């Protein structure tokens, strides 16, 4: 097992990503958990919707214009977060995930802080995200980082949209 005491955040342009660097496994866990929480559990990654399987199998193509942050403990990928390319002066954060064994160690906070710093460096005026309403721990984390609930841009039921000015 990797040393859990030191975690580093690595910022990578999407086009440089590979499923073999640990990101595929993190995205698989994220999507499987999300489908289960939505009441649509699937047995494995092969049963996920096509768009999610594409992220898992070829993140370099799926996130080609984005920046992906990967938290690493030693050589192991233990968390991830995607920051989309700017659109209308905003960036969007998505796919925040921390391996369960590393939760409570500041991994998600480190990823989120790095994402906000990246957004500010890019010159965006705001950063936004969406989160399922039952993910109360994530919502509390986002609020601690200055995000506030805003008018929804996504019509999916039970999705909370949040935004933070930079």
């Amino acid at each position: 097992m990797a040393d859990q005491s030191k975690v580093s955040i690595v910022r990578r342009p999407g086009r440089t990503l590979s499923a073999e660097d640990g990101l595929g496994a993190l995205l698989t866990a994220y999507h499987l958990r999300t489908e289960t929480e939505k009441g649509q559990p699937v047995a494995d990654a092969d049963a996920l919707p096509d768009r999610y399987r594409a992220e898992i199998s070829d993140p370099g193509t799926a996130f080609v214009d984005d920046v992906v942050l990967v938290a690493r403990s030693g050589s192991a990928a233990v968390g991830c977060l995607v920051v989309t390319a700017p659109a209308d002066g905003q960036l969007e954060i998505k796919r925040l995930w921390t391996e369960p064994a590393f939760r409570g160690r500041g991994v998600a906070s480190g990823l989120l802080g790095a994402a906000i710093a990246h957004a500010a460096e890019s010159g965006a005026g705001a950063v936004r995200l969406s989160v399922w309403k039952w993910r109360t721990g994530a919502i509390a984390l986002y609020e601690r980082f200055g995000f506030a609930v805003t008018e929804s841009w996504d019509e999916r039921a039970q999705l909370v949209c949040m935004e933070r000015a930079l």
Side-chain angles (χ1 to χ4, degrees), residues 13-96:
R15 65 187 166 280
T16 67
L17 299 169
S18 160
E20 287 75 45
D21 65 4
L23 182 59
L26 294 169
L27 291 168
T28 299
Y30 171 88
H31 288 303
L32 290 173
R33 175 71 174 265
T34 300
E35 292 302 295
T36 297
E37 290 175 352
K38 291 189 308 190
Q40 303 165 354
V42 295
D44 56 33
D46 291 335
L48 287 167
D50 290 344
R51 66 186 182 278
Y52 299 149
R53 287 197 322 271
E55 288 180 12
I56 292 164
S57 66
D58 189 3
T61 298
F63 303 121
V64 68
D65 294 324
D66 305 327
V67 168
V68 178
L69 303 174
V70 178
R72 302 195 74 77
S73 177
S75 62
V78 299
C80 64
L81 180 149
V82 175
V83 183
T84 65
D88 299 323
Q90 294 187 359
L91 296 145
E92 188 168 348
I93 291 173
K94 59 186 186 176
R95 308 296 186 259
L96 175 59

